[in-house]
């Protein structure tokens, strides 16, 4: 969800106002994705590198997240959203950790859509934490394979993503889901996150549906598999 700061700057507003507007965009997109019966959505909200931002901004983001949970959690619960957190929130303020865990518990029985929010998330950090878990459980080298490894990742409960949407005009992955993105289609758009609306989502989904996903095979092989 990139571009909140530039959205705000172009309107002579504070960066925090941009993040507030970004939170509203996230709320709308969760709804739009759910309406389209897409079962999994993951939002990259705070990266393991975002700690390097000015203290005011980091604290502002935490306050925003707290306020968002307070305002939205009941509605999310009612609308069938099952909330998951990926990333390592152990370094977050304890009040926020409690709020986040309470929200996860509250929505745990929902099935309509699995909404994962990446908080203090970094793909490299996740891979290291996963490897530590595997070693500490005493798994032998022989018993390790891709499926076993994936089962220890923060994302063990979800399939690999089909589509990644990167807003804000940057053409990079920024340490997001490094393992899981192996065969993901990636849609880059200049649209700044607060402006990312249902039409923009529709454009990304239309582009996605035109992609031929070969997973290492030839085009002929893939087409041969399609029903006639
Ligand atoms: C949102 O956009 C990123 C976070 C939620 C931390 P940015 O804050 O990176 O926006 P730009 O790149 O400055 O426009
Ligand atoms: Mg940015």
């Amino acid at each position: 969800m990139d571009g909140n700061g530039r959205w705000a700057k172009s309107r002579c507003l504070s960066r925090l106002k941009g993040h507030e507007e970004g939170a509203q965009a996230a709320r709308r997109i969760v709804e739009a994705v759910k309406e389209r019966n897409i079962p999994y959505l993951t939002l990259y909200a705070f990266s393991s590198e975002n700690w390097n931002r000015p203290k005011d901004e980091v604290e502002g983001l935490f306050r925003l997240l707290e306020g968002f949970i307070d305002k939205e959690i009941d509605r999310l619960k009612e609308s069938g959203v099952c909330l998951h957190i990926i990333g390592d929130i152990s370094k977050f303020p304890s009040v926020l950790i409690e709020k986040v865990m309470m929200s996860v518990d509250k929505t745990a029985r929902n099935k309509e859509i699995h909404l994962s929010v990446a908080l203090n998330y970094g793909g490299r950090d996740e891979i290291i934490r996963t490897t530590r878990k595997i070693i500490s459980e005493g798994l032998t080298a022989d018993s390790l394979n891709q499926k076993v490894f994936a089962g220890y990742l923060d994302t063990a409960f979800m399939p690999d993503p089909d589509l990644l949407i990167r807003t804000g005009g940057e053409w990079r992955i920024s340490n997001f889901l490094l393992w899981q993105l192996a065969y993901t289609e990636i849609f880059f758009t200049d649209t700044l996150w607060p402006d990312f609306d249902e039409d923009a989502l529709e454009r990304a989904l239309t582009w996605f549906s035109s992609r031929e996903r070969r997973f290492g095979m030839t085009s002929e092989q893939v087409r041969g598999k399609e029903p006639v």
Side-chain angles (χ1 to χ4, degrees), residues 95-188:
V95 183
L96 187 52
I97 297 177
E98 271 168 39
K99 245 179 209 173
V100 167
M101 295 325 292
M102 177 272 293
S103 310
V104 169
D105 284 351
K106 244 185 168 174
T107 63
R109 276 180 293 279
N110 281 346
K111 289 191 170 64
E112 201 102 338
I113 182 171
H114 292 275
L115 169 65
S116 304
V117 183
L119 293 174
N120 191 23
Y121 177 87
R124 289 181 172 182
D125 181 62
E126 181 190 28
I127 288 168
I128 296 287
R129 283 188 290 104
T130 299
T131 310
R132 282 203 191 115
K133 275 186 242 167
I134 289 171
I135 293 171
S136 69
E137 287 200 12
L139 257 77
T140 60
D142 282 347
S143 61
L144 190 60
N145 58 39
Q146 294 186 24
K147 199 161 176 254
V148 170
F149 192 84
Y152 281 84
L153 289 164
D154 296 354
T155 53
F157 63 91
M158 62 159 106
D160 286 345
D162 291 313
L163 169 65
L164 167 68
I165 301 171
R166 167 93 197 213
T167 60
E170 310 289 1
W171 288 47
R172 55 178 171 252
I173 302 295
S174 299
N175 207 6
F176 190 51
L177 299 179
L178 295 182
W179 168 281
Q180 298 86 340
L181 293 178
Y183 278 100
T184 300
E185 303 293 326
I186 307 186
F187 183 81
F188 294 101

Side-chain angles (χ1 to χ4, degrees), residues 54-71:
K55 196 163 169 269
D56 280 1
E57 183 168 345
V58 172
E59 286 173 357
L61 282 166
F62 290 162
R63 271 200 309 279
L64 183 64
L65 183 60
E66 247 190 274
F68 191 81
I69 291 175
D70 288 342
K71 268 211 284 307

Side-chain angles (χ1 to χ4, degrees), residues 1-7 15 19 44-45 50 53 57 61:
M1 302 188 285
D2 197 15
N4 296 349
R6 281 164 283 166
W7 183 93
R15 291 184 59 82
H19 294 313
Y44 200 2
N50 284 149
R53 294 196 173 194
E57 183 168 345
L61 282 166

Side-chain angles (χ1 to χ4, degrees), residues 1-116:
M1 302 188 285
D2 197 15
N4 296 349
R6 281 164 283 166
W7 183 93
K9 196 173 179 195
S10 70
R11 289 165 176 77
C12 298
L13 298 168
S14 69
R15 291 184 59 82
L16 215 56
K17 182 69 196 142
H19 294 313
E20 280 172 28
E21 211 52 41
Q24 293 312 312
R27 194 175 50 74
R28 291 191 297 268
I29 289 300
V30 171
E31 212 41 53
V33 167
K34 192 161 71 66
E35 275 168 20
R36 284 162 178 76
N37 295 320
I38 295 170
Y40 293 90
L41 171 67
T42 304
L43 299 173
Y44 200 2
F46 190 87
S47 82
S48 49
E49 286 72 36
N50 284 149
W51 292 103
N52 297 326
R53 294 196 173 194
K55 196 163 169 269
D56 280 1
E57 183 168 345
V58 172
E59 286 173 357
L61 282 166
F62 290 162
R63 271 200 309 279
L64 183 64
L65 183 60
E66 247 190 274
F68 191 81
I69 291 175
D70 288 342
K71 268 211 284 307
E72 300 291 332
I73 191 60
D74 287 336
R75 213 186 42 79
L76 288 173
K77 187 184 171 192
E78 292 317 307
S79 67
V81 173
C82 180
L83 182 69
H84 305 262
I85 301 298
I86 63 168
D88 174 15
I89 58 166
S90 63
K91 303 272 171 353
F92 276 19
S94 52
V95 183
L96 187 52
I97 297 177
E98 271 168 39
K99 245 179 209 173
V100 167
M101 295 325 292
M102 177 272 293
S103 310
V104 169
D105 284 351
K106 244 185 168 174
T107 63
R109 276 180 293 279
N110 281 346
K111 289 191 170 64
E112 201 102 338
I113 182 171
H114 292 275
L115 169 65
S116 304

